[in-house]
Amino acid sequence: MDLQIRGGRVFMGKRVQVMDIWIKDGRIAALGGPHVADDHLDVAGLLVLPGAVDIHVHFRDPGQTHKEDWETGSLAAAAGGVTTVVDQPNTLPAVNDASAYRDKLITARRHSIVDFCLNGGPGNVQELLGEGAAAIGEIFTYEMGEERLRDLLFQVEDADGLPTIHAEDGWTIRRCEEGMRGQQDPDVHSRSRPPQAEEAAIAQALSLTQKRVHICHLSTSGGLELIRRAKKAGRAVTAEVAPHHLLLNRRDYRKQGTFLKVNPPLRSSSDNQALWDGLRRGDIEAMASDHAPHLPEEKRQEIWEAPSGLPGVETMLPLMLDAVRANRIPLDRAVDALSTAPARILGLKGKGEIAVGKDADLVLVDTRARSEVLAYRLHSRADWTPYQGRTAIFPRLTMVRGEVVFDGDMAVRPGYGQNLPGPGRSASRVREED
Ligand code: DOR
Ligand code: ZN
């Protein structure tokens, strides 16, 4: 064996057991001994979790690297216990064809600290899936009419891909915005993109394809209800919730104003509650950060001008571990939502669990080490956080494929992270590259 992780409280098979983890060639080779290893790491007293799989990040690279790049984004991920990220295609240029996909892949391979997938945008679907895109999306439904969306979903279905849907109906939003243009109260952002816009777009997406659909950052109780009913009716639909739709609501505009502009927008505290319930029950199977960094000077503009999006990749797992401590959610549901379910949704077979044969992507946590979220300690180029001052439990150390990638500092060279191509990439191409 290469490495023994000795004496930790290991989360496996839905519960915590004191156990040694034995690692060989980056994979978990055995759980429990006796074996012999070249090296060991004593982690007595620490909780050992599978690394989080964040299937929704916007790392802004290429095109807007002043907001984030692959190195800063993936370092933030590692520091927050995220060992795999799935980057969204709305970079500049957008990842809508093979050439843009390959260009981003080169950059990410050079600079990422954690493992990663790239999603493809609403362009040449077949080509993107052939290159290895993990999914097609997030598909911004508010940017397209029904015909365009139908056609796109048909193409994704035809190529056996997974569409991931940003569900907000454009027509509803434009109609609401018309009457509100003069208003400057940041809450106008939530009112101009009402819950009905999300509900309409979820219903539409479910009606336009009969195949698998994934709903991104679910934000309303009404949307959740639609998904529950669809599941009951046998539809293959999965959903993710973002930390901000659990932990923040419209009242928070009073303190943080335009900084909290995000799409879908913040909702009411009863939506927070419904989403927590949905997450606990497993009707919402996954958490994803929707990490969407913008700089403070950009966020500070008036509400109609400020860009939408909140940073979150580094704080998602730490805030959830504090929610576990506060009994808001059981540990097994939190780990499932952060790691196991997202890996399953994207078919990432080596990820999301502590089990023999899986990649040794591990997060070591001292559960007594509660601390405040403070922007200056975070690693994103965003340089601010909507959770300033909240209590969180940050990991002590993060490991990807058996290598420590973060232990308070970056512990590996940028470019250590590997690409996990989606199932659509042809075997011949993989051979060619190898
Ligand atoms: O608020 C958002 N910002 N929502 C999205 O869906 C995209 C994101 C971004 O890229 O800034
Ligand atoms: Zn997004």
Side-chain angles (χ1 to χ4, degrees):
M1 301 287 180
D2 300 325
L3 180 65
Q4 174 190 17
I5 309 276
R6 194 185 283 169
R9 296 164 44 225
V10 180
F11 181 92
M12 46 175 292
K14 293 192 188 255
R15 63 198 189 95
V16 173
Q17 276 171 276
V18 174
M19 172 149 300
D20 293 345
I21 302 177
W22 301 85
I23 298 170
K24 185 159 179 57
D25 300 330
R27 298 223 174 98
I28 298 171
L31 290 159
H35 299 279
V36 180
D38 297 340
D39 216 343
H40 76 272
L41 196 63
D42 258 313
V43 300
L46 298 185
L47 181 63
V48 186
L49 302 175
V53 176
D54 188 346
I55 60 177
H56 196 142
V57 304
H58 299 267
F59 279 173
R60 311 298 190 204
D61 188 358
Q64 294 181 303
T65 50
H66 64 290
K67 298 177 195 255
E68 199 77 287
D69 63 26
W70 272 96
E71 185 172 326
T72 55
S74 66
L75 178 60
V82 172
T83 50
T84 302
V85 294
V86 182
D87 192 53
Q88 303 301 304
N90 64 335
T91 32
L92 296 173
V95 181
N96 282 333
D97 57 27
S99 135
Y101 183 93
R102 287 180 184 182
D103 285 347
K104 189 189 272 190
L105 186 57
I106 289 169
T107 311
R109 277 193 172 138
R110 254 183 222 151
H111 298 288
S112 189
I113 287 154
V114 299
D115 285 353
F116 63 92
C117 304
L118 306 181
N119 273 2
N124 192 331
V125 166
Q126 199 154 26
E127 191 174 284
L128 288 161
L129 291 169
E131 288 296 316
I136 297 298
E138 64 181 293
I139 295 168
F140 293 100
T141 52
Y142 57 88
E143 288 175 355
M144 12 185 126
E146 178 147 309
E147 276 318 302
R148 171 83 182 93
L149 184 60
R150 186 198 309 277
D151 180 56
L152 178 61
L153 291 176
F154 177 77
Q155 286 180 47
V156 180
E157 191 177 309
D158 198 44
D160 221 11
L162 173 68
T164 70
I165 308 284
H166 178 126
E168 284 190 284
D169 177 59
W171 187 81
T172 308
I173 294 169
R174 282 187 293 278
R175 208 183 33 146
C176 289
E177 277 179 351
E178 263 169 35
M180 298 182 186
R181 275 284 167 195
Q183 300 181 37
Q184 290 299 328
D185 176 1
D187 185 67
V188 74
H189 184 67
S190 290
R191 282 182 279 119
S192 69
R193 306 175 80 101
Q196 300 88 288
E198 179 169 279
E199 291 158 25
I202 291 174
Q204 183 187 43
L206 288 170
S207 75
L208 292 179
T209 173
Q210 291 309 308
K211 292 275 177 64
R212 260 180 85 198
V213 183
H214 177 74
I215 305 295
C216 303
H217 39 50
L218 183 67
S219 68
T220 61
S221 58
L224 174 59
E225 201 43 45
L226 288 173
I227 288 170
R228 264 160 63 97
R229 265 187 251 147
K231 285 185 192 213
K232 270 213 180 113
R235 288 297 304 270
V237 54
T238 51
E240 75 197 28
V241 65
H244 47 272
H245 290 125
L246 294 170
L247 297 169
L248 298 166
N249 59 53
R250 289 167 59 179
R251 279 198 304 249
D252 292 291
Y253 286 125
R254 288 186 213 153
K255 275 204 173 139
Q256 300 196 62
T258 57
F259 278 70
L260 296 186
K261 182 175 176 186
V262 62
N263 297 330
L266 298 184
R267 309 292 188 184
S268 67
S269 57
S270 65
D271 289 301
N272 294 150
Q273 285 319 316
L275 295 169
W276 275 112
D277 287 344
L279 183 64
R280 279 187 291 255
R281 282 194 308 261
D283 289 332
I284 302 168
E285 35 279 279
M287 284 201 71
S289 71
D290 192 17
H291 179 75
H294 301 284
L295 300 186
E297 55 265 39
E298 300 168 324
K299 296 294 287 180
R300 212 172 274 133
Q301 301 172 79
E302 59 123 332
I303 191 67
W304 298 95
E305 290 299 317
S308 298
L310 310 177
V313 70
E314 188 166 353
T315 45
M316 176 168 68
L317 174 139
L319 290 165
M320 285 307 284
L321 291 180
D322 196 61
V324 170
R325 182 204 55 78
N327 290 321
R328 294 197 85 172
I329 187 164
L331 180 64
D332 66 326
R333 259 314 289 148
V335 173
D336 189 52
L338 290 165
S339 304
T340 319
R344 191 171 54 236
I345 287 168
L346 283 188
L348 306 176
K349 294 205 170 67
K351 303 297 189 186
E353 247 182 294
I354 297 181
V356 171
K358 300 277 179 185
D359 287 353
D361 294 355
L362 305 173
V363 181
L364 307 191
V365 183
D366 176 356
T367 52
R368 293 158 311 179
R370 296 173 68 201
S371 65
E372 271 180 40
V373 176
L374 294 169
Y376 84 88
R377 287 194 195 148
L378 301 177
H379 298 80
S380 166
R381 208 159 263 162
D383 217 23
W384 72 281
T385 169
Y387 308 107
Q388 181 80 0
R390 293 210 190 203
T391 308
I393 302 174
F394 284 88
R396 174 79 67 81
L397 182 152
T398 303
M399 195 175 258
V400 174
R401 285 175 281 105
E403 294 281 342
V404 177
V405 295
F406 186 86
D407 59 2
D409 273 309
M410 196 196 309
V412 82
R413 62 177 169 77
Y416 174 75
Q418 287 184 0
N419 176 232
L420 310 163
R425 195 162 78 133
S426 66
S428 62
R429 199 183 328 263
V430 177
R431 273 200 300 278
E432 217 174 274
E433 277 180 19
D434 291 348

